[in-house]
Amino acid sequence: MVPSTEDALAAERAKAGFSVDAMHEFIVDSDMRTKVSKVEAVMGKEPETFSLRNVYFMSRQEKMEHALKIGLRLIELLKEGQVTSDEISIADMVLDINGPFGLHRAMFIPTLQNQATAEQQELFLKPSLNYEILGCYAQTEIGHGSNVQGLETTCTYVPETDEFEVHSPSVRACKWWIGSLGVTATHAMVMAQLIVGGRHHGPCPVVVPIRSTVDHQPLPGVTVGDLGPKFGFNTMDNGFLLLNRVRVPRINLLQRYISVSPEGKVSRPANVDPKVAYGTMVYVRTQIVRNMSQVLAKATTIAVRYAAVRRQFKDQKSALESPVLDYSMVQYRLIPLVAQNYAMFATSQAFLLHYQQSMLELDRGNFAPLKELHATACGLKRWTSDVAIAGIDTCRHVCGGHGFSQFSGLNEFYGNAYPNIIWEGDNYVLSQQTARYLISQVRALRAGKPVAENQTTTYLKRHMPGGQLQALAQRSVDELINNADAQLDLLAFRAASMVSTLVDNMDAGQSWNQSLVAIQRLCDAHSDFIVASYFRQHLSTLAHSSPLLPHLNKLATLLFLYTLEQHSSDLFRLPNAFTPKMVAEVERSLAKIIEEVRFQAVPLVDAFGISDFRLNSALGRSDGKVYDNYLKWAMEDPLNTESGEVVRKQWFDQYYKPVLHSRL
């Protein structure tokens, strides 16, 4: 007798070699656990507002209205004291709705908090927190995205009236892709080139009212609208904005880090790093790193559970078809994703702490950590979003034909998650930011100049004393598997070797453009080390006797081997570090450890704690009742219900009947 899908999932859970609850508490930070639990409980009391069941049948306009209904209720709950502003952001993540109020919270308010003076915070932040004005962050232009320095929108000081004139001088300067702008925002945080007395001072944020708070009509000089349907993220009103010499008071230019006097004198606080204006972007990238762990967890949970209960084909030794998860090719595609997912959770916690510590230093007037923080943020944003977005697609593919259904929970979800590899810096462009920092540190070491003490310079100085690469003692694959420090050392050496070679080539005349492919690989290598290092740091907080540790160490080693296997060509370039025979040993060891982890796969994804409400998937249900619910959801399609009877009759009379009753 073929086991039911629910019995099959229960059997997988019975194999757990650890406490799923204990693993959940360790790998998901307590703040996230508490907030997710609270917002799901609050939303669970109002299913008529927060239900996701019908979202797969909605048009874009219906989805936007559904998102507005949810957003309004969350703001009401905020004002009633039932949720906090942070918890609303968690609710957005849980719902995967990305409503029109999202950018007000995610970017407009943080920019005011980080870059406005006390007077400006009273003027703009206070009403923003009370939702008396609704904001967005207008940086990207139709002609400029990642190149912030190339933005064409201008903000010119007019001393005669003590105002700034904000202007879009060409179509290229039209603000584009701006979330919460299309229909929602009353104010825009416009990034524009500051011009005072004919002199350019670079891009700076200025608050520009764009719609009336009374009747919501566009203000004079403002052309604004929605961009229309997109590949995903269709509950968000991404918009465009053209400004025709719009005047705003001088106080609207955020002046915590740059100020313009009534006489037109521009000044900055002493020792301010010009990159401080990117503080909001760095903050958003920390949130992307954190969110990507949750995004991938949803996908891996669905795919692993479904692969564990889906049966296809049988071998000669069994009368039953085999679970798809037993096939090595499926394991090879899924199990490393689970390991990467665990590494992401650890990294998100460590990097958030790194960001918070750096912000405290900025508040003290110490801007030294900013460059390394920015480089790390760029690399981790790229690494986590690349892995997560590719991972969702892999999970869809692993689910076979059923992965193509919206009811898998992976398709609209994929479209909503996809922008993470593009917004807040296209990943290929961001890699250059990370590489620039690494190159600058190597050149400083070679010139005998002092460099800041941080996780990046520590490994560079270890492997490049005086800026010159030193050979790494060769270790066997077995030694590497059994020694976490040796694993990190090899990953650090790989990155150090790549940046050393890149600097040599550039010093010999290789242009930046000719270096771009090597720069991508360097950024990946550096981020592979940072992620592995953060993962091991997080594991070091466990007691040596913890029953979780053997499983987590195995995942960390699996990730290490998978990194080597995926980038084996890099290994052959390492001086005296690797041989072809060792690469083959890596492949064999990786296959072995993947097979071992397979038996813990379901408990490992259960530990992510993604509820059925969040999954919104017929395939990844926690009770394993896949096929019954899959059929039930299909039958709920409006075309299959009584409400669809009129439509079906109309189609028959108008289209099918003429075909069926006509003669050739």
Side-chain angles (χ1 to χ4, degrees):
M1 181 178 177
V2 178
S4 66
T5 51
E6 53 264 47
D7 287 344
L9 197 60
E12 291 288 338
R13 291 189 171 118
K15 300 172 185 175
F18 56 87
S19 164
V20 170
D21 289 341
M23 185 69 84
H24 176 63
E25 291 178 5
F26 175 72
I27 203 63
V28 182
D29 66 89
S30 60
D31 180 64
M32 179 67 76
R33 295 197 312 271
T34 301
K35 288 176 179 175
V36 167
S37 178
K38 178 180 174 181
V39 299
E40 287 192 348
V42 170
M43 293 189 296
K45 296 175 182 177
E46 302 183 25
E48 68 282 356
T49 298
F50 296 106
S51 174
L52 302 174
R53 282 299 304 276
N54 296 323
V55 72
Y56 297 136
F57 304 121
M58 293 179 182
S59 67
R60 185 193 178 216
Q61 187 170 328
E62 288 171 335
K63 288 175 183 174
M64 288 187 69
E65 186 167 0
H66 184 52
L68 283 167
K69 178 182 177 182
I70 288 173
L72 173 61
R73 183 58 186 142
L74 287 171
I75 293 170
E76 289 172 347
L77 291 169
L78 172 70
K79 293 180 176 180
E80 293 167 10
Q82 294 192 51
V83 297
T84 66
S85 183
D86 285 347
E87 288 164 353
I88 290 181
S89 297
I90 297 296
D92 289 342
M93 179 198 73
V94 167
L95 293 164
D96 188 36
I97 288 293
N98 305 302
F101 302 113
L103 271 294
H104 175 74
R105 290 185 290 267
M107 294 199 71
F108 188 74
I109 287 175
T111 303
L112 291 170
Q113 290 171 328
N114 293 329
Q115 297 189 48
T117 63
E119 182 183 6
Q120 290 174 320
Q121 289 186 355
E122 183 69 23
L123 185 62
F124 300 118
L125 179 59
K126 188 173 180 180
S128 296
L129 293 172
N130 291 329
Y131 289 86
E132 295 167 12
I133 62 175
L134 299 172
C136 63
Y137 187 84
Q139 176 169 290
T140 300
E141 296 173 353
I142 196 170
H144 289 88
S146 299
N147 182 15
V148 178
Q149 294 300 323
L151 295 177
E152 295 187 35
T153 303
T154 57
C155 177
T156 306
Y157 183 56
V158 184
E160 293 80 6
T161 58
D162 197 24
E163 293 176 307
F164 285 104
E165 182 179 272
V166 189
H167 182 57
S168 307
S170 70
V171 173
R172 291 189 309 274
C174 179
K175 296 298 182 181
W176 201 262
W177 287 120
I178 311 305
S180 300
L181 172 65
V183 183
T184 306
T186 62
H187 290 65
M189 185 70 68
V190 177
M191 285 295 286
Q193 299 288 353
L194 177 62
I195 303 172
V196 181
R199 184 179 176 185
H200 288 248
H201 295 272
C204 294
V206 56
V207 178
V208 180
I210 57 173
R211 289 187 178 95
S212 166
T213 56
V214 177
D215 61 10
H216 217 234
Q217 291 300 304
L219 297 175
V222 174
T223 302
V224 62
D226 183 78
L227 292 183
K230 307 173 288 284
F231 177 70
F233 224 68
N234 281 302
T235 51
M236 176 61 73
D237 58 328
N238 295 87
F240 60 84
L241 174 67
L242 282 166
L243 300 168
N244 185 16
R245 304 192 182 282
V246 174
R247 295 287 185 94
V248 298
R250 180 170 53 86
I251 197 171
N252 285 36
L253 179 77
L254 298 196
Q255 300 196 34
R256 184 176 180 185
Y257 296 112
I258 185 170
S259 61
V260 179
S261 71
E263 297 76 28
K265 181 180 179 181
V266 179
S267 60
R268 298 178 187 268
N271 301 320
V272 171
D273 191 305
K275 289 190 177 67
V276 75
Y278 297 150
T280 300
M281 293 180 67
V282 174
Y283 169 78
V284 172
R285 286 168 189 158
T286 67
Q287 297 307 301
I288 290 174
V289 170
R290 191 185 195 200
N291 290 345
M292 287 303 96
S293 60
Q294 295 284 336
V295 164
L296 185 57
K298 176 174 175 177
T300 53
T301 299
I302 292 170
V304 168
R305 285 178 179 170
Y306 178 66
V309 303
R310 173 73 169 180
R311 292 177 178 270
Q312 288 287 283
F313 308 107
K314 57 185 177 182
D315 58 32
Q316 296 177 348
K317 299 177 182 179
S318 175
L320 297 176
E321 289 185 296
S322 299
V324 171
L325 192 55
D326 282 352
Y327 291 105
S328 61
M329 193 64 240
V330 173
Q331 293 172 15
Y332 178 78
R333 292 149 73 195
L334 279 184
I335 303 303
L337 270 179
V338 175
Q340 289 173 317
N341 212 160
Y342 269 77
M344 275 190 200
F345 274 105
T347 295
S348 67
Q349 295 183 55
F351 182 56
L352 183 59
L353 180 61
H354 182 181
Y355 171 81
Q356 292 168 340
Q357 292 171 339
S358 297
M359 290 302 103
L360 287 175
E361 290 300 313
L362 258 66
D363 287 341
R364 298 186 185 108
N366 176 18
F367 297 92
L370 190 58
K371 290 182 180 180
E372 198 266 344
L373 176 71
H374 175 66
T376 301
C378 291
L380 290 181
K381 186 269 183 180
R382 170 188 164 99
W383 192 96
T384 55
S385 59
D386 273 355
V387 169
I389 304 312
I392 297 171
D393 200 32
T394 295
C395 290
R396 288 197 309 161
H397 199 178
V398 165
C399 291
H402 295 325
F404 193 66
S405 169
Q406 288 284 23
F407 303 147
S408 71
L410 294 170
N411 289 288
E412 189 153 329
F413 176 58
Y414 178 70
N416 290 343
Y418 190 85
N420 284 280
I421 63 175
I422 300 170
W423 62 23
E424 303 313 317
D426 176 89
N427 282 0
Y428 285 100
V429 177
L430 282 185
S431 67
Q432 298 178 55
Q433 299 294 319
T434 302
R436 284 186 195 277
Y437 177 74
L438 291 166
I439 290 167
S440 70
Q441 299 309 291
V442 169
R443 285 185 168 151
L445 289 172
R446 290 184 176 182
K449 297 178 181 178
V451 295
E453 291 291 335
N454 54 56
Q455 58 189 345
T456 299
T457 57
T458 296
Y459 84 72
L460 290 176
K461 288 190 289 186
R462 170 174 166 75
H463 293 294
M464 302 180 67
Q468 301 302 320
L469 188 70
Q470 301 295 304
L472 182 70
Q474 191 179 96
R475 294 184 174 95
S476 70
V477 173
D478 283 343
E479 287 180 288
L480 290 169
I481 288 173
N482 294 303
N483 188 326
D485 291 337
Q487 294 174 17
L488 295 177
D489 209 28
L490 179 60
L491 293 175
F493 181 68
R494 169 181 165 233
S497 175
M498 292 171 75
V499 69
S500 176
T501 300
L502 181 58
V503 171
D504 289 343
N505 291 340
M506 295 180 76
D507 288 348
Q510 180 173 289
S511 70
W512 186 263
N513 188 46
Q514 291 169 328
S515 304
L516 287 178
V517 174
I519 282 170
Q520 310 303 314
R521 293 170 177 162
L522 169 60
C523 181
D524 287 340
H526 173 71
S527 299
D528 285 338
F529 165 74
I530 296 295
V531 169
S533 179
Y534 279 151
F535 197 3
R536 290 294 184 179
Q537 286 178 35
H538 193 53
L539 299 194
S540 69
T541 64
L542 280 172
H544 290 299
S545 59
S546 170
L548 303 179
L549 200 53
H551 301 278
L552 290 165
N553 278 330
K554 185 169 286 189
L555 288 176
T557 298
L558 191 160
L559 177 60
F560 166 73
L561 292 171
Y562 185 70
T563 301
L564 299 187
E565 189 262 355
Q566 289 287 292
H567 303 282
S568 57
S569 63
D570 293 346
L571 304 180
F572 294 126
R573 297 188 179 99
L574 300 180
N576 193 45
F578 250 78
T579 65
K581 180 181 178 181
M582 292 174 68
V583 171
E585 290 175 9
V586 165
E587 293 172 350
R588 287 192 294 271
S589 299
L590 175 62
K592 181 176 182 293
I593 199 169
I594 285 175
E595 189 174 5
E596 292 171 357
V597 173
R598 175 262 174 269
F599 296 104
Q600 300 297 309
V602 168
L604 284 169
V605 297
D606 281 351
F608 293 145
I610 311 296
S611 67
D612 285 342
F613 176 73
R614 285 177 65 186
L615 293 178
N616 201 23
S617 168
L619 305 186
R621 296 174 57 89
S622 61
D623 62 9
K625 296 180 179 180
V626 172
Y627 301 130
D628 291 343
N629 283 280
Y630 195 8
L631 176 59
K632 179 182 177 183
W633 286 20
M635 293 177 71
E636 292 173 356
D637 185 326
L639 283 175
N640 298 326
T641 63
E642 290 184 10
S643 64
E645 187 172 342
V646 174
V647 174
R648 295 195 304 271
K649 185 178 187 308
Q650 177 187 335
W651 287 356
F652 176 77
D653 292 339
Q654 192 169 352
Y655 303 112
Y656 300 138
K657 186 176 180 180
V659 171
L660 291 169
H661 294 188
S662 65
R663 294 182 179 180
L664 294 176

